[in-house]
Amino acid sequence: LYPTGVNGVVVHILEEMLDEWMTRVMVHFRWHYDENTMFVISKLTGESLSIEQARQHQLAQWGLRSCRATGTESVVQQAYAEKEYFSIIEALETQLHKTPYALGGQPSAVDTILMGTYRGHTNFDPTPDMTRFEKVARWNGQSGANPFGAEINVFENPSPFVEHLLTITREQYAPFALANKRARENGDKSFVIDTYGEEVSYLAREYPERSRRMIAQRINHQLSATEKEQILSWLEQQSLAECFAPGAT
């Protein structure tokens, strides 16, 4: 799921962003939409519950706390989170007209993250309506049977889909990851950063920082000297060195 060399680092960074940043979108959809909360809690309890009854369940109450912790309490952030998610799925739909998998001819960790959120959240819950994404639905249902094609080469030949993910990583996820890093170092429980033009509070969490460090460890321990030089130069060009280069740890 991770190619070797510099391509593996790029895939790792994309997977990191999707895994840690898209979480906020999934908890927003599930716990801010009444129909989703009723659907999930009713399935869990085996009862047909009203929204008032579903909201009393401890999991639904945890869900709203999780929304606050991950920065989607305001309607502004909810709207931007949805817009961001659909921009990713629309770009994926376009990519899947060209290749059988998200990054090209072979499956990767990016496919697993996107497929997991699609299967477990957005294509499972009543909202949102995902029916217009026909290629995504086919990829989700048949990707295991797709033959492997050319090896992934996102380092030298990034697709528009990859470029879109890198833009989100650079403009939104990296500032979050760095602020979370500083908050953890300072012993702060939360931090505030600008997200899509609004000051947003986030809970400082251990795992995003641990996950960020794993990328630097990959660069330090799994690349040759030449590959390390190449990826460090690439990180500088992408304005991602502060977040992911080994010196950032």
Side-chain angles (χ1 to χ4, degrees):
L1 294 179
Y2 294 95
T4 58
V6 292
N7 281 294
V9 176
V10 179
V11 172
H12 197 161
I13 288 172
L14 298 178
E15 184 271 342
E16 158 84 1
M17 182 277 288
L18 291 168
D19 190 29
E20 297 298 332
W21 189 238
M22 205 161 57
T23 301
R24 81 194 203 291
V25 189
M26 298 303 107
V27 295
H28 153 62
F29 273 128
R30 178 154 289 175
W31 304 115
H32 283 146
Y33 280 89
D34 288 349
E35 60 268 35
N36 289 348
T37 300
M38 285 191 295
F39 174 74
V40 170
I41 300 301
S42 293
K43 269 190 167 293
L44 180 67
T45 61
E47 303 176 16
S48 181
L49 302 177
S50 68
I51 185 57
E52 290 77 17
Q53 292 171 319
R55 291 284 182 207
Q56 291 303 310
H57 194 278
Q58 61 181 0
L59 181 59
Q61 294 178 6
W62 169 88
L64 290 177
R65 291 196 299 272
S66 183
C67 290
R68 289 193 294 272
T70 55
T72 62
E73 189 170 27
S74 82
V75 294
V76 173
Q77 290 306 304
Q78 291 168 23
Y80 274 114
E82 292 184 20
K83 182 179 179 180
E84 179 187 275
Y85 176 71
F86 285 121
S87 77
I88 292 172
I89 298 301
E90 286 163 3
L92 176 62
E93 179 82 1
T94 299
Q95 180 63 34
L96 293 173
H97 278 82
K98 304 172 184 176
T99 59
Y101 299 100
L103 300 185
Q106 299 188 13
S108 72
V110 169
D111 291 273
T112 64
I113 291 296
L114 290 169
M115 199 172 288
T117 55
Y118 178 84
R119 289 182 179 180
H121 288 267
T122 53
N123 199 48
F124 178 76
D125 293 353
T127 299
D129 180 3
M130 302 293 286
T131 56
R132 70 183 187 272
F133 301 112
E134 296 179 1
K135 284 289 186 180
V136 171
R138 193 170 298 116
W139 158 83
N140 173 64
Q142 302 178 3
S143 62
N146 288 334
F148 287 9
E151 292 186 1
I152 291 170
N153 188 5
V154 289
F155 180 76
E156 294 181 337
N157 189 29
S159 65
F161 175 65
V162 169
E163 294 285 9
H164 183 62
L165 295 184
L166 286 171
T167 297
I168 296 172
T169 305
R170 179 169 52 251
E171 296 181 356
Q172 304 303 328
Y173 180 67
F176 162 83
L178 287 169
N180 184 73
K181 168 183 178 289
R182 289 189 289 267
R184 295 286 301 175
E185 289 172 346
N186 295 333
D188 298 330
K189 293 183 178 180
S190 63
F191 58 92
V192 175
I193 59 169
D194 181 288
T195 302
Y196 290 112
E198 183 179 44
E199 294 294 294
V200 180
S201 175
Y202 297 89
L203 179 70
R205 293 181 289 126
E206 176 186 1
Y207 191 77
E209 172 57 13
R210 186 191 309 166
S211 185
R212 186 193 66 82
R213 286 174 176 261
M214 290 171 64
I215 295 172
Q217 292 167 1
R218 174 184 287 271
I219 294 170
N220 265 338
H221 302 299
Q222 297 186 28
L223 300 185
S224 68
T226 299
E227 290 171 333
K228 184 174 180 180
E229 184 178 347
Q230 289 175 327
I231 203 66
L232 292 178
S233 175
W234 180 86
L235 287 169
E236 289 288 349
Q237 293 169 11
Q238 294 291 330
S239 299
L240 292 172
E242 183 183 6
C243 190
F244 297 117
T249 62

